[in-house]
Amino acid sequence: MKNTLHVEVLLKTEKAVDISELEESINLELKKIKPIIPESTHTTFITDGLADCIKSIQICEVENLQEDDNHERMINYELPEGKSLDLDAYTVQIYFYKLDDSGLVDDDTTDESTCKMRRCILPNVDFCGIWDSLVYQEPVKEILLNYAQTGMNFARHNVNTNIISYNRLILLHGLPGTGKTSICKALAQKLSIRLSKQYSFFEFIEINSHNLLSKYFSESGSLVMSMFQQIKNVLEYGDSLVFILIDEVESLTRARDAVLSGTEPSDSIRVVNAVLTQLDNLRKYPNVIFLTTSNVTEAIDSAFTDRADIKMLINPPQEMAIYTILKAAIEELIKVGLIINVEKNDKFDRLPNSNAEEIEDKSTTQKLYEISKESVGLSGRVLKKITFIAHSIFIRKPQCDGVHQFLCALQKAIKYQKTQDAGINKVK
């Protein structure tokens, strides 16, 4: 069996196209650029011959079906150094999609007292690029994508949930700023592209769990019931796939033993019971995936965590993931002209096998890797803006003169940020 090369094609919304003819044309274009060098994977391009109807063609990843020593399915995003990708050796899977530009909007189908959600159509312009921007040390994205696709495959084949239990419920937990909410949105976007042949349309619903909690006794449970009724109405359209995001799910699923011990409001138990009951009722709908996040899993009722098919800890990024994040940020600044006078030897190469600390004349790659190791402990959210901090505080002019000057500023910004974070924690 051939391995698979995934290619996503963004269409222009104003153009009507014949997909079968377009797919044939794209395959021909891909043949023209083979062999694909490693740097070309996971990148976007467009050719003159298809520019009238296509915004971009993205070569996303190579799916390797070989097994490792643990007999696990592997997905490789990088090819061995010096190797190229021969398209004849792969099955090319092409996905066509258009972006909806409406964005997340408040649901207005009921009055304000019962409507506590925002909705949008997928794929959506607001979620574009999130998937590629998320970098983890572990194969978080690959595992979640495989899980979700398997869950929907089981649902489409009407696998009996009384024999094989699967709730299509994901729980991501970990420290704040690790990208839990972002990857939920990115996963929904990715699936709306990959499963476009199975469903007519896709919808994303974001629930504000805090707004479902009322100061009036017993009203919170009623608000939860009303919200799930709204979701049920959406799911009645069986040709759609609906993603439900519940951020900080612990707000709605407080451990009931804490309620009984008197450490939580007694009304909380009504909310937990309502959520669990409604989740069980929605299992019969094959066209829904629940995405939930939590910063404090110890506060969640065990009956909820038991219902989650996959419970994944999202760790703060380590040096290799940090290196990738910072490298992408610096390359973006070079691309837009905010870092100028870039020399040929300033490019970021693959990390050498030798220890960077043992080399006196460090390359650009080695210096950035050294900075990445110093950055361990910062959240992904902070790392995404650390290059902005470096430019604003330690460059203080419109353009930075050279990559090495920016790396010096970045190193200072890392130390500055850690000092600021330590000061905040000390106050706490």
Side-chain angles (χ1 to χ4, degrees):
M1 181 183 294
K2 288 185 177 181
N3 296 327
T4 303
L5 178 69
H6 296 277
V7 179
E8 296 177 3
V9 180
L10 174 57
L11 302 171
K12 292 185 176 180
T13 55
E14 66 276 9
K15 293 287 185 178
V17 295
D18 185 310
I19 294 298
S20 58
E21 290 184 4
L22 193 56
E23 186 168 3
E24 185 177 343
S25 299
I26 290 172
N27 273 309
L28 290 174
E29 292 293 334
L30 290 172
K31 295 288 185 182
K32 291 179 184 178
I33 65 170
K34 76 166 192 175
I36 302 172
I37 59 174
E39 287 76 14
S40 295
T41 58
H42 215 60
T43 58
T44 301
F45 68 96
I46 185 62
T47 60
D48 294 337
L50 300 173
D52 287 343
C53 56
I54 292 177
K55 286 188 176 181
S56 66
I57 302 172
Q58 184 178 29
I59 300 173
C60 296
E61 72 261 10
V62 178
E63 186 177 9
N64 187 353
L65 299 180
Q66 295 178 354
E67 294 181 339
D68 65 359
D69 294 336
N70 296 319
H71 304 289
E72 293 179 347
R73 190 180 184 204
M74 301 290 288
I75 293 183
N76 298 331
Y77 286 91
E78 291 186 356
L79 299 169
E81 188 172 3
K83 300 292 183 180
S84 59
L85 182 67
D86 186 353
L87 285 180
D88 289 334
Y90 290 83
T91 299
V92 179
Q93 183 66 53
I94 302 176
Y95 310 92
F96 297 93
Y97 68 102
K98 295 182 179 181
L99 290 175
D100 185 274
D101 60 0
S102 58
L104 278 168
V105 296
D106 292 336
D107 183 90
D108 57 0
T109 55
T110 59
D111 61 87
E112 186 179 353
S113 63
T114 57
C115 175
K116 307 297 179 185
M117 64 180 74
R118 297 195 299 162
R119 301 164 66 172
C120 72
I121 301 298
L122 295 175
N124 199 280
V125 67
D126 283 359
F127 296 177
C128 191
I130 300 178
W131 182 268
D132 295 339
S133 71
L134 295 171
V135 181
Y136 299 97
Q137 205 88 348
E138 303 85 7
V140 172
K141 295 191 290 186
E142 297 92 324
I143 292 172
L144 291 176
L145 185 58
N146 284 334
Y147 157 76
Q149 289 178 317
T150 300
M152 300 318 300
N153 188 34
F154 273 44
R156 286 195 304 274
H157 285 81
N158 297 315
V159 174
N160 190 332
T161 57
N162 293 319
I163 299 175
I164 299 178
S165 179
Y166 61 102
N167 296 313
R168 300 183 302 283
L169 171 61
I170 296 172
L171 172 61
L172 304 182
H173 60 99
L175 295 172
T178 50
K180 298 184 295 296
T181 303
S182 294
I183 197 171
C184 286
K185 293 179 178 179
L187 178 63
Q189 178 93 338
K190 181 65 71 172
L191 288 169
S192 69
I193 296 171
R194 296 292 173 90
L195 301 178
S196 58
K197 293 181 179 179
Q198 281 79 44
Y199 301 92
S200 295
F201 73 96
F202 301 82
E203 187 164 2
F204 182 86
I205 298 177
E206 182 179 42
I207 293 171
N208 188 331
S209 54
H210 294 288
N211 286 350
L212 289 168
L213 303 178
S214 172
K215 63 181 179 180
Y216 300 107
F217 184 76
S218 79
E219 187 173 305
S220 296
S222 299
L223 290 176
V224 169
M225 296 289 285
S226 176
M227 176 199 68
F228 275 99
Q229 183 58 52
Q230 287 293 106
I231 294 173
K232 191 178 297 184
N233 293 339
V234 175
L235 296 177
E236 293 294 340
Y237 298 96
D239 203 24
S240 65
L241 178 56
V242 182
F243 302 91
I244 313 294
L245 170 62
I246 308 178
D247 250 337
E248 299 182 26
V249 71
E250 66 272 7
S251 301
L252 300 178
T253 56
R254 291 285 182 185
R256 286 171 289 186
D257 54 359
V259 177
L260 295 174
S261 66
T263 58
E264 291 287 345
S266 59
D267 195 32
S268 295
I269 199 168
R270 298 174 183 267
V271 174
V272 178
N273 288 338
V275 169
L276 296 177
T277 300
Q278 292 304 311
L279 286 174
D280 290 340
N281 289 339
L282 293 182
R283 288 181 69 196
K284 66 180 181 180
Y285 293 96
N287 58 326
V288 61
I289 295 180
F290 281 93
L291 309 165
T292 65
T293 71
S294 175
N295 298 329
V296 282
T297 50
E298 61 272 14
I300 302 178
D301 194 277
S302 59
F304 176 83
T305 56
D306 286 346
R307 283 165 168 78
D309 299 327
I310 186 167
K311 299 174 276 285
M312 182 175 289
L313 173 64
I314 308 298
N315 289 306
Q318 299 303 304
E319 57 260 31
M320 285 306 301
I322 294 172
Y323 174 87
T324 305
I325 293 170
L326 297 180
K327 172 178 174 288
I330 294 172
E331 289 175 341
E332 174 67 13
L333 293 178
I334 294 172
K335 176 183 174 183
V336 300
L338 291 178
I339 297 179
I340 58 174
N341 297 328
V342 180
E343 300 178 3
K344 289 183 179 180
N345 59 355
D346 283 339
K347 66 179 182 178
F348 296 99
D349 299 312
R350 291 177 179 270
L351 290 173
N353 294 325
S354 56
N355 193 327
E357 284 82 0
E358 297 175 358
I359 301 174
E360 293 183 8
D361 186 18
K362 297 184 179 70
S363 68
T364 302
T365 297
Q366 291 163 336
K367 287 182 178 179
L368 183 58
Y369 183 59
E370 194 174 89
I371 292 171
S372 301
K373 290 196 287 186
E374 295 175 11
S375 305
V376 172
L378 297 179
S379 71
R381 184 179 294 139
V382 170
L383 289 167
K384 286 292 180 68
K385 58 188 175 185
I386 199 67
T387 48
F388 174 82
I389 295 172
H391 201 287
S392 63
I393 298 179
F394 300 104
I395 300 296
R396 295 196 299 270
K397 55 184 179 181
Q399 294 174 309
C400 177
D401 187 13
V403 172
H404 284 269
Q405 184 186 48
F406 190 82
L407 288 177
C408 291
L410 183 60
Q411 195 163 28
K412 293 176 183 177
I414 297 295
K415 294 177 181 178
Y416 169 82
Q417 186 64 45
K418 287 199 168 187
T419 300
Q420 297 300 308
D421 290 348
I424 292 175
N425 294 330
K426 188 175 182 180
V427 171
K428 290 179 180 180

